[in-house]
Amino acid sequence: MSDAVMTDTAQRQALAEELDSFNCRVAQPTDGPLFTREPQSAMKPAHWKASDLERLLEKIGAKLKLEAGGQRRTLRLANRGLPFGTTPTFWASIQYILPGEIATAHRHTASALRFIMKGRGADTIVDGERYEMNEGDLVLTPAWTWHDHEHKGDEPMIWLDVLDISLVRSMHATFFEGSDKPRQAVSDIPDRSYRQFGSGIMRPLNDASVPELNPLLVYGAERAQEALRLAAELPPDPYDDTALEYLNPVTGGSALPTIGTVLQSLRPGMHTKPHRHTGSVVYYVMRGNGATIVDGTTFEWGPGDFMAIPPWAVHEHINRSDDTPAMLFQVNDIPALKKLGLYREQAA
Ligand code: GTQ
Ligand code: FE2
């Protein structure tokens, strides 16, 4: 066949082998499109019920040794549409620690947070500072900070872990280092970062530097929930009702550079307007009963449930109670999208 009569398809196929030997290629008819008009996420909307999670956590507590799974015993919230992780950028897991157990010291380039779900008596040490972890507290382990946990209480304890592992993996920037000591040495002043920056409205006078990492490592439940109660007296946002983001007190930006953390309340009877945005979201229901509709699927939720919303999925929230506010903790990857100029939102 002469060059002139070969179809473009045949030309492309004929060139493929030669180009390949020089590490080059041209688009082939069998390739998918390079771009889609708008995001088409493989992630599926998902719902985990508290009663199922409780049963499964008890089971892994009874059957799995802490030491065998990388010094952490966790139940990972998986997504059927993704090869790994809860969303395209982060992993949400529930960590289950028994009395007397130590989750030994290590550090990694993935940023992490813990949000305490249930129990008391465990503490964590982050770069030498020790914190008692109590229900509703948010504790950060920013990228490359040393951290270890020890449970000194007498009932099993659970908390939510979120790490931006998929994002860090996609950039081939994973580092990990274990420690030869199970626990870190503790600095003599407990809660130092909380004493300095924890009010959220003031900061130390003689420390005007802007550190690369958030200097505040713990956000106590009481102050966060008081801020939410005050904000809930204001008129509602049409899509989120009342939602407050945990801040880096020095920069005014998100608490972690890549992960957004939000405390949200839905007033009695609230039914928000539907919208969509880039970025993925995981919700943990702290109290209340309601529903979240994601791309036409309705998830009826109660205390202890988790929901996941894929990028660009239309969603709306309902509080089913006519006298009690609902409270949710939200994790998202919106700070990462905003930093890359990729954040968009749209009313549905
Ligand atoms: O507690 O340090 O769920 O390193 C996954 C990886 C928790 C932790 C996880 C971790 C941790
Ligand atoms: Fe870790």
Side-chain angles (χ1 to χ4, degrees), residues 1 7 12 68 85:
M1 205 168 9
T7 62
R12 286 172 186 276

Side-chain angles (χ1 to χ4, degrees), residues 77-125:
L77 303 184
N79 192 278
R80 288 186 190 287
L82 301 174
F84 46 74
T86 316
T87 85
T89 63
F90 63 85
W91 300 48
S93 311
I94 304 169
Q95 187 157 163
Y96 192 86
I97 188 165
L98 295 166
E101 285 184 328
I102 293 176
T104 58
H106 68 203
R107 58 179 176 172
H108 33 70
T109 44
S111 299
L113 64 89
R114 297 161 224 299
F115 189 81
I116 315 312
M117 296 166 62
K118 231 175 238 157
R120 50 183 304 140
D123 66 40
T124 187
I125 304 172

Side-chain angles (χ1 to χ4, degrees), residues 23 55 94 278:
N23 299 320
R55 200 175 56 250
I94 304 169
T278 52

